[in-house]
Amino acid sequence: MARLPYRGRKDVTVASLLLLVLALLLGPVPSSAAGTEWWLPTARPAPDSQINVTGGPFTGTNAQGEVRGFADLHNHLFSNEAFGGRLICGKTFSEAGIADALKDCPEHYPDGSLAIFDFITNGGDRKHDPVGWPTFKDWPAHDSLTHQQNYYAWIERAWRGGQRVLVNDLVTNGVICSVYFFKDRSCDEMTSIRLQAKLSYDLQAYIDKMYGGTGKGWFRIVTDSAQARQVIEQGKLAVILGVETSEPFGCKQILDVPQCSKEDIDKGLDELYDLGVRSMFLCHKFDNALCGVRFDEGSLGTAINVGQFLSTGTFWKTEQCTGPQHDNPIGNASAAEAEAELPAGVEVPAYESGAQCNVRGLTELGEYAVRGMMKRKMMLEIDHMSVKATGRALDIFEAESYPGVLSSHSWMDLNWTERVYGLGGFIGQYMHGSEGFIAEADRTEALRDKYGVGYSYGTDMNGVGGWPGPRGADAPNKVTYPFKSVDGGSVIDRQTTGQRTWDLNTDGAAHYGLVPDWIEDIRKVGGQDVVDDLFRGAESYLDTWGASEQHRSAVNLANGAPATASSAEWNPFTSYAPGRAVDGDRGTRWASDWSDDQWLRIDLGATHRVGRVTLDWERAYGKSYRIELSTDGASWKTAWSTTAGDGGLDTARFTGTPARYIRILGLERGTDWGYSLHEVSVHSN
């Protein structure tokens, strides 16, 4: 606490006393001077973990009115409740205290011999010391994938170190649950998601209680970007709920037959939204009824492919990629323990090294889900989606100018980085070691500068991914303890829980409390620039979220407008008339005769400013075509053209031009069929 000099001191002059009083009145006053150390709980459980951070969290905004702070776009606070409840051992919090929260799974005692998943993921001699609190001899550790890394006090340390956004992805996988030997609850994915959402709110209440009541704690679950900004300006942690699961809403597919409907999707999205979920993955690890996945590699890929078969009745199928984007190569590595789960006579297929793309993209139901998320202003996570599925999703967003797209932990094809930024989306990198993280950050720095965005990370803690190992006690530019937080207002020392003290240099990123140490390692190895971009992460994430909330679908000037065409394919059972391309139904289509030089003309009924036209092609697409505009239907001007059409969803943007008539003139077909359009949308901008 700052104190005035004792008034009996003879060496204090009147002038110096006045100056000191003036300084106290006008200058910054430490929070402790006013007894307002709001960041320190009044009733922390005892015993408990230390935080080892001194100084108050920064509040308010910068000179530009922007929030500050780091953003973790991808974490799993409650995956210990997933996969049957016994894959990840330990809890994020417990009303019974830290000894109950940080203890191993029952089958790991006495020496880890039955910790089967730990052995599969970490190897070794199958053994480890199962004791957590208070000794923590073998866990948590950067390479132990089955033990709790998100104890609430470790999250508190990350917040005190400057983090202001945390996306808590509710996660599970029904197949992993069903094949794992130990479980104590149902494998139904949505049941687990509901439980994890409830526990997120329970954790908020648990922390609130330490600070004197509802709303007073630092852990704040938020459901809109304005609320998140308020929380961050107060110096607290904004927590957003996301979902990463393999079969959302029960949308699995068996032998390529969907097991859900559009009604299931609407009901599921509504339920998740009501739970507070604002971002989600449509597929994860296994192909489902919504989309194909971006493969895992090596022996892990083989093991997951086995899971794919057990879940869906089919293995992954690959094809030659049509562009520079590609999924991860599957390879033909062995995974003996997983392959033993296959029925007799069934084997994992071999894959050609040159065929790296999943044949499965975004399905009709998947597209319905994407549009349903847009309608609810939710953000789509494109990591884990196949390039075919991602490409279609980005096409849809570009057609609607929708910015709500996230890549949170380095699972997106890097060739699409600028495409995401161009939409107004946001990108985070997996929590790699400092050298690798800096190299990737440097690779995309020019794009961040171009689009004026910050940067972010996805720790994926409790996500069975592995985390940065130690660089060594003698490594150059190692972390020196204690060090100052990025804002300069706090001092961070080595973290201690019970009898164990962690040092990033020798322990690596063993748990979530070492996130500030890892950021300091990035600063020491790569300089201040990357850290400055990371410190802008919270603002950029909220920019994407806020723009998604404010998005309004533009009026489609072509909807229901009269349409004519050069020809229409005849079919005795259905109509392919020109009006089918402007009826607002993506299940219908216009189809021309099977020849080049075909056209579709739309009459908007009056002259409008036209600056964007979207074409939703059926399989029979135009390779070379142009979009023409006219005010009188007689004199035409080319507004946009291409000779490299590849089907799918094409969005043509051009300078806004007055027009009443729109003509799509097909010059060269992309197939042996004619030209076929599900829907044409025309917009002013």
Side-chain angles (χ1 to χ4, degrees):
M1 177 178 289
R3 296 180 184 271
L4 290 175
Y6 179 57
R7 68 179 64 179
R9 290 275 300 273
K10 294 181 180 179
D11 58 342
V12 177
T13 66
V14 173
S16 63
L17 182 59
L18 289 173
L19 287 172
L20 181 56
V21 171
L22 187 63
L24 289 170
L25 290 173
L26 300 179
V29 180
S31 297
S32 58
T36 56
E37 294 173 323
W38 59 268
W39 57 91
L40 299 178
T42 57
R44 187 186 297 279
D48 205 358
S49 174
Q50 297 180 36
I51 306 302
N52 306 105
V53 179
T54 57
F58 56 88
T59 60
T61 58
N62 65 13
Q64 291 74 43
E66 300 171 332
V67 298
R68 299 163 291 162
F70 306 118
D72 181 357
L73 302 189
H74 194 104
N75 193 7
H76 303 293
L77 299 189
F78 293 102
S79 58
N80 58 290
E81 303 293 348
F83 316 113
R86 301 272 277 275
L87 197 72
I88 307 295
C89 306
K91 304 175 185 177
T92 305
F93 76 103
S94 171
E95 294 286 355
I98 190 170
D100 181 64
L102 296 181
K103 64 182 181 182
D104 217 335
C105 292
E107 58 274 6
H108 287 205
Y109 290 88
D111 62 359
S113 296
L114 290 179
I116 297 172
F117 191 71
D118 187 76
F119 170 73
I120 292 172
T121 56
N122 199 16
D125 62 1
R126 284 184 177 265
K127 296 182 180 181
H128 68 267
D129 182 352
V131 177
W133 172 269
T135 55
F136 300 106
K137 180 178 181 293
D138 285 339
W139 65 271
H142 72 91
D143 56 353
S144 174
L145 310 188
T146 63
H147 294 98
Q148 182 60 244
Q149 296 173 296
N150 281 319
Y151 184 60
Y152 92 91
W154 299 337
I155 301 168
E156 181 178 350
R157 176 181 161 91
W159 159 63
R160 291 282 300 277
Q163 187 168 305
R164 293 296 180 267
V165 166
L166 188 157
V167 178
N168 176 26
D169 282 320
L170 317 175
V171 64
T172 192
N173 183 292
V175 173
I176 292 176
C177 172
S178 66
V179 300
Y180 191 53
F181 302 94
F182 306 104
K183 61 181 71 69
D184 55 21
R185 78 276 309 275
S186 162
C187 291
D188 179 71
E189 293 192 355
M190 289 304 295
T191 299
S192 180
I193 295 302
R194 295 181 190 106
L195 173 61
Q196 292 176 52
K198 175 186 179 299
L199 288 172
S200 299
Y201 290 98
D202 288 349
L203 174 58
Q204 178 175 261
Y206 178 78
I207 295 171
D208 277 353
K209 188 165 57 176
M210 296 182 204
Y211 287 80
T214 302
K216 294 186 177 181
W218 51 268
F219 183 96
R220 312 307 319 154
I221 298 174
V222 296
T223 55
D224 62 61
S225 63
Q227 186 183 18
R229 287 188 182 278
Q230 292 172 354
V231 164
I232 296 171
E233 287 176 16
Q234 294 168 8
K236 299 183 179 183
L237 179 69
V239 180
I240 300 93
L241 300 186
V243 165
E244 182 184 40
T245 192
S246 294
E247 297 165 359
F249 338 122
C251 277
K252 68 184 303 178
Q253 51 98 8
I254 299 176
L255 298 176
D256 294 320
V257 178
Q259 304 298 298
C260 67
S261 64
K262 291 180 179 179
E263 291 74 19
D264 294 324
I265 292 169
D266 281 327
K267 181 180 177 181
L269 285 173
D270 286 342
E271 179 184 8
L272 291 179
Y273 192 90
D274 289 344
L275 288 173
V277 172
R278 294 297 180 266
S279 64
M280 69 175 295
F281 295 76
L282 288 185
C283 51
H284 177 239
K285 299 303 181 184
F286 305 147
D287 294 344
N288 61 24
L290 306 176
C291 54
V293 294
R294 185 172 170 84
F295 311 127
D296 281 81
E297 300 180 63
S299 58
L300 178 61
T302 300
I304 292 176
N305 201 7
V306 169
Q308 154 97 7
F309 179 85
L310 296 175
S311 173
T312 69
T314 60
F315 291 105
W316 289 326
K317 298 183 180 70
T318 65
E319 63 185 2
Q320 295 284 336
C321 302
T322 58
Q325 293 79 23
H326 60 83
D327 296 318
N328 295 323
I330 301 174
N332 298 299
S334 175
E337 293 197 26
E339 292 176 83
E341 299 291 328
L342 291 171
V346 176
E347 296 182 353
V348 177
Y351 294 93
E352 297 180 18
S353 60
Q356 291 188 11
C357 279
N358 193 336
V359 301
R360 194 173 185 85
L362 193 67
T363 67
E364 181 182 347
L365 287 174
E367 183 164 333
Y368 185 83
V370 167
R371 295 185 185 278
M373 290 180 68
M374 282 197 296
K375 185 169 70 174
R376 294 164 178 82
K377 314 301 181 186
M378 298 171 74
M379 293 176 284
L380 174 68
E381 290 266 14
I382 58 174
D383 287 3
H384 291 297
M385 293 173 72
S386 69
V387 295
K388 184 178 285 189
T390 303
R392 178 67 177 184
L394 293 177
D395 285 345
I396 293 170
F397 284 175
E398 287 167 346
E400 299 288 342
S401 298
Y402 187 73
V405 56
L406 300 170
S407 173
S408 61
H409 65 328
S410 301
W411 267 82
M412 174 194 68
D413 190 290
L414 299 179
N415 288 294
W416 271 326
T417 299
E418 183 165 16
R419 198 171 175 191
V420 172
Y421 283 145
L423 275 165
F426 190 47
I427 292 172
Q429 184 188 160
Y430 190 84
M431 189 184 184
H432 295 119
S434 55
E435 296 97 333
F437 190 92
I438 291 161
E440 173 58 17
D442 287 348
R443 188 189 70 83
T444 58
E445 181 180 15
L447 285 175
R448 293 197 299 279
D449 290 344
K450 177 180 177 180
Y451 290 94
V453 296
Y455 203 35
S456 184
Y457 50 84
T459 62
D460 204 11
M461 290 274 178
N462 284 2
V464 198
W467 297 274
R471 289 203 300 119
D474 299 322
N477 301 315
K478 68 176 184 179
V479 173
T480 303
Y481 294 92
F483 59 89
K484 283 190 174 183
S485 59
V486 173
D487 66 291
S490 299
V491 176
I492 302 170
D493 209 341
R494 290 176 179 84
Q495 198 282 318
T496 297
T497 304
Q499 300 170 16
R500 176 76 185 273
T501 297
W502 282 272
D503 182 322
L504 187 83
N505 301 303
T506 54
D507 295 312
H511 62 68
Y512 205 76
L514 296 173
V515 168
D517 312 51
W518 170 72
I519 292 173
E520 173 67 2
D521 196 41
I522 289 173
R523 188 188 71 81
K524 298 280 283 189
V525 173
Q528 190 67 34
D529 287 351
V530 175
V531 176
D532 287 345
D533 276 2
L534 289 172
F535 204 55
R536 297 174 58 205
E539 174 66 30
S540 291
Y541 174 82
L542 295 185
D543 283 345
T544 293
W545 190 5
S548 303
E549 293 169 327
Q550 295 162 16
H551 178 265
R552 298 293 180 270
S553 295
V555 174
N556 178 10
L557 302 172
N559 190 33
T564 56
S566 55
S567 63
E569 181 182 341
W570 182 83
N571 186 295
F573 304 105
T574 189
S575 170
Y576 296 126
R580 294 292 185 138
V582 289
D583 61 1
D585 183 353
R586 288 184 172 82
T588 63
R589 61 189 175 96
W590 162 69
S592 76
D593 287 343
W594 294 11
S595 63
D596 291 327
D597 298 323
Q598 301 286 338
W599 52 263
L600 174 73
R601 190 176 79 165
I602 303 165
D603 180 358
L604 303 181
T607 299
H608 296 268
R609 182 181 184 273
V610 176
R612 173 163 55 103
V613 176
T614 296
L615 308 180
D616 188 356
W617 294 101
E618 194 252 354
R619 287 179 296 172
Y621 65 92
K623 180 180 179 182
S624 176
Y625 65 92
R626 62 178 181 253
I627 296 172
E628 300 176 328
L629 307 179
S630 174
T631 56
D632 59 7
S635 177
W636 296 91
K637 178 181 179 182
T638 299
W640 188 90
S641 65
T642 183
T643 58
D646 58 359
L649 200 60
D650 288 347
T651 297
R653 298 178 186 273
F654 43 84
T655 302
T657 305
R660 171 174 174 171
Y661 300 94
I662 314 295
R663 185 166 68 181
I664 296 97
L665 181 60
L667 304 173
E668 181 183 355
R669 291 166 292 152
T671 68
D672 291 336
W673 302 307
Y675 300 89
S676 184
L677 286 162
H678 283 294
E679 202 69 19
V680 178
S681 302
V682 178
H683 305 278
S684 293
N685 53 42

